[in-house]
Amino acid sequence: MATTTVDPQALSLLNLARHGTPGEADLDTPAVCLGGRAACDALFLSCKFQKLVSFPGSVTTGHENFDWDMADKKETLGNAEHDSNPSSPIDGPTKKPPFKQRYIAHHKRWWWLYLIIFIIVVLVVVLPVIYVGYPHIAQNSIDDSTLTPVNLSLSEPTPDQVTVHIGSTVGTHSKYHPTIYSFEGHFYLEGGPSYPFVNATTPQQNSVHNGDYQQVNQRINVTQAFTDYLIAVLLQEEIGVRLKGNTKLKEGGLPKANINYNKCDLTIFFSLGFNGFKGTTTENVTLLTTAQPDGANIVAQVTLPNPTVTTFDYGNCTFTLTTAIYPPLVPSPSYVNLGTAWIEHLRLVPYNRTNTPNLPDPNTFSLRSNTNQSLVLELIGANQTLKETGMLPVYVQGSKSVVNGVEIPYFTESLSKSVVLQELDVGSALRKAGLGSVLGGNSTSEGSKRDEVAKRSSRDDDVLLPPVW
């Protein structure tokens, strides 16, 4: 490091600047700085900073005279350079760095704090929304949905198995359109047994929208619960079916959520039943004077109403015909068996008579019967009302269902629970067969026949309660 030599007069000036005493140096004598320009500048700045003395004349260095006025100018220039350069070591006001620079510097310093805050937000806010709120919304969407059956059919029946086809549409007003995964669905008869009548695998539904159609096809083992369901469909005007099961739902990029159909009150869908075949009509009754090879001696056309969405293939069905008998033929009113009737290939399909009144009813069948004609003639001859109207009340009850030569027990049991009262126009049949004399020459119009039947039906002493077996 270079050694700086300072003249005694310069030291005197320095003492004057620092301590207020000139010491040995004379202030009128120019000071000489022998250490070079840099040492002299340092001496000057030190003295000038203290603001204690002014230097008349000039300080002489070993190379040139130091001009104090020029030094003042350099000081002023130095202050200007300091203002434009914040990094200058010279004291003075500093300029604030730009916002972007401060922003970057702040985050470089505190990035770890922001990372901790982000993790806390994810754990406290986002995770509960995903794993608590989202499943709750998904379950509510299922609870608010409906299933409306549009078709239900049974095919390929055997004594212990049958194939069930269920088609339904989804009703939902949710703004979400999730995927519902396939699951094992259990169908219960509302108000019926506590065990399902059908267990079926429901297919996966992608992006569920209002009105979407879903189809279930399942080969099932027949249980008593299924038989109870068939009886309910046959006898009731409306039935309710509840779907239960557990599956998963997924919306977009969110994780799968568990949904429970067991909690869903609105998964009950209602459909019309056959209502005991009320509205059945029997027309074109004909007495056959010569027995047919199959034993039939009366034929007619029967139309069975099917206001449901159900298609049942009952096969070849047999029915029991019963009527009421009154004194003097018997001591007291009772029932008597008239014979049997049968319908081949009885397949009931959905048909709405109101919407399509001009189309042929697909549920019209040929009814053939082996009837005790002698008893029929005796009943008419002994009852004045029957003579006048020619309308014989007959109770029709199912007794057997046979498919491909094999009796189907669950169809047989359900049909046997239905008893339908039909007013058979045997008067017209007798006249067509040349047996009008049995009626005693009475002739009654069709309107009068209906009036008489209505009157008779309202009299307790003439008509018995429907038979129950």
Side-chain angles (χ1 to χ4, degrees), residues 230-243:
L230 295 180
I231 295 173
V233 171
L234 207 60
L235 299 182
Q236 297 180 17
E237 185 175 3
E238 186 179 65
I239 62 169
V241 174
R242 182 185 292 271
L243 171 62

Side-chain angles (χ1 to χ4, degrees), residues 232-288:
V233 171
L234 207 60
L235 299 182
Q236 297 180 17
E237 185 175 3
E238 186 179 65
I239 62 169
V241 174
R242 182 185 292 271
L243 171 62
K244 293 184 179 182
N246 299 306
T247 185
K248 294 184 180 295
L249 176 150
K250 191 176 189 303
E251 171 66 26
L254 295 172
K256 294 179 181 179
N258 294 320
I259 56 175
N260 187 351
Y261 276 92
N262 295 343
K263 297 179 180 179
C264 183
D265 291 336
L266 294 182
T267 52
I268 303 174
F269 56 83
F270 292 94
S271 64
L272 294 175
F274 289 97
N275 197 22
F277 290 122
K278 288 183 178 178
T280 298
T281 59
T282 304
E283 299 175 329
N284 301 326
V285 179
T286 302
L287 273 67
L288 304 177

Side-chain angles (χ1 to χ4, degrees), residues 74-295:
K74 287 184 177 180
E75 181 182 10
T76 302
L77 179 61
N79 290 337
E81 291 176 352
H82 175 71
D83 291 340
S84 63
N85 183 10
S87 63
S88 173
I90 300 176
D91 293 340
T94 59
K95 184 177 180 181
K96 182 180 283 189
F99 172 77
K100 183 177 180 181
Q101 183 177 351
R102 288 184 285 113
Y103 178 84
I104 295 174
H106 172 81
H107 283 81
K108 283 183 177 180
R109 182 177 182 183
W110 300 104
W111 64 268
W112 55 271
L113 179 60
Y114 287 105
L115 178 60
I116 293 175
I117 294 174
F118 173 77
I119 294 174
I120 293 174
V121 169
V122 169
L123 293 177
V124 174
V125 179
V126 178
L127 292 182
V129 170
I130 294 177
Y131 292 101
V132 178
Y134 163 58
H136 182 71
I137 294 173
Q139 183 64 56
N140 285 342
S141 297
I142 296 299
D143 291 345
D144 293 337
S145 66
T146 59
L147 289 174
T148 302
V150 294
N151 64 74
L152 189 152
S153 62
L154 306 176
S155 64
E156 303 174 341
T158 63
D160 55 1
Q161 287 187 329
V162 68
T163 301
V164 179
H165 310 273
I166 304 174
S168 58
T169 57
V170 178
T172 176
H173 299 289
S174 174
K175 63 181 179 180
Y176 304 105
H177 308 293
T179 294
I180 299 178
Y181 292 89
S182 175
F183 69 100
E184 185 74 12
H186 310 288
F187 294 85
Y188 293 78
L189 181 63
E190 188 68 7
S194 59
Y195 39 89
F197 66 86
V198 168
N199 296 314
T201 301
T202 62
Q204 177 174 314
Q205 297 174 265
N206 298 315
S207 185
V208 178
H209 287 73
N210 185 49
D212 282 357
Y213 176 83
Q214 66 175 12
Q215 179 72 37
V216 175
N217 303 304
Q218 187 80 35
R219 186 74 175 173
I220 67 167
N221 294 319
V222 176
T223 62
Q224 184 58 45
F226 183 75
T227 302
D228 293 340
Y229 164 75
L230 295 180
I231 295 173
V233 171
L234 207 60
L235 299 182
Q236 297 180 17
E237 185 175 3
E238 186 179 65
I239 62 169
V241 174
R242 182 185 292 271
L243 171 62
K244 293 184 179 182
N246 299 306
T247 185
K248 294 184 180 295
L249 176 150
K250 191 176 189 303
E251 171 66 26
L254 295 172
K256 294 179 181 179
N258 294 320
I259 56 175
N260 187 351
Y261 276 92
N262 295 343
K263 297 179 180 179
C264 183
D265 291 336
L266 294 182
T267 52
I268 303 174
F269 56 83
F270 292 94
S271 64
L272 294 175
F274 289 97
N275 197 22
F277 290 122
K278 288 183 178 178
T280 298
T281 59
T282 304
E283 299 175 329
N284 301 326
V285 179
T286 302
L287 273 67
L288 304 177
T289 56
T290 304
Q292 302 295 301
D294 59 359

